[in-house]
Amino acid sequence: MYDPTRLAALVAVAGAGSITRAAERLGYSPPALSQQLAKLEREAGAPLLVRSPRGTRLTEVGELLAARARRVLDELEQARHELARLTGLSGGTLRLGTFQTAGIHLLPPVLSAFRRAHPDVELTVANYEPPDGVTAVAAGEVDLALTHTYEPADPAPLPSSVCAEPVLVEELVLVTAPGHVLAEGAARLPLSGLAGQPLISMAPDHPPRQGVEAALARVGATPAVRVESPGYALVCALVSAGLGVAVVPEMVARTAATPVGLRLLEPGDLRRTISVVHRTDRRTPAAEAFRALLRGAFGRAAR
């Protein structure tokens, strides 16, 4: 049985009249395409190509096989479209909700992979700061939403119609101005080492951060500036300017647009869990496919 990839290579050479031009169209290097064609010739048991200074043409056997290959490839493409329609991944819309950090640093590569696999599905993305994404999924405004929870924190009950599947767990770390004394050293800094430090604080009335803020207050970190909305870019900018230190998710610290120092904390039990929220009573093929891509992309980190 002939490999469809090699049949496509033969059809491309027939149309281009050159291995080099065919390789460019298919995204191969010319040597790699030549290897595919050599394997096809071995499968066919006869020469398929005649190479000359003026280009490459097909032998009589090659012309016969290329004609059949076009029909086979057309049938396979038609089957792909029909299967996509049957599974609900041809046309339709996938509506996603996300918060800012995940939307910038986690979502784009997964969206890109989804688009390559399912180009006919229309994608929409809306911003929902946690826990608003949970509400949006429950209300049917979006199909899936990325949200987060922090530890320590009192668990927030989910609506009965939704489920949260963790995809990424990360520690919270200390960020400081570059060169700050607390950023020196490779050992973890005990949380008690923040006593008396001016803190750039996510406002204590921000629900996801309340437990973290309480833990910092217990060790004597003193709020110097309160950021009243959940904006980590602003927090890191204020830290970088020397207005205080902050405790933020590690992903935020490592991707900060402004220069900051970073240090792990001891114990490492301040954490953020990023989850994908979905309806338990309404599953679509597009949403299931996207969740599978999320698990593949971040499953190792979720353990």
Side-chain angles (χ1 to χ4, degrees), residues 2 37-48 59 61-62 65:
Y2 297 116
L37 293 168
K39 291 177 182 177
L40 185 60
E41 286 185 320
R42 288 196 293 272
E43 291 174 349
L48 302 176
T59 64
V61 174
L65 185 56

Side-chain angles (χ1 to χ4, degrees), residues 7-30:
L7 294 177
L10 180 66
V11 170
V13 172
S18 160
I19 289 179
T20 299
R21 287 195 293 272
E24 290 175 354
R25 294 178 184 177
L26 294 174
Y28 285 97
S29 66

Side-chain angles (χ1 to χ4, degrees), residues 101 104-105 233 236 249-258 260 262 272:
T101 308
I104 294 173
H105 300 294
C236 289
E250 187 170 4
M251 178 171 57
V252 170
R254 296 195 183 281
T255 58
T258 48
V260 294
L262 182 157
R272 178 172 76 166

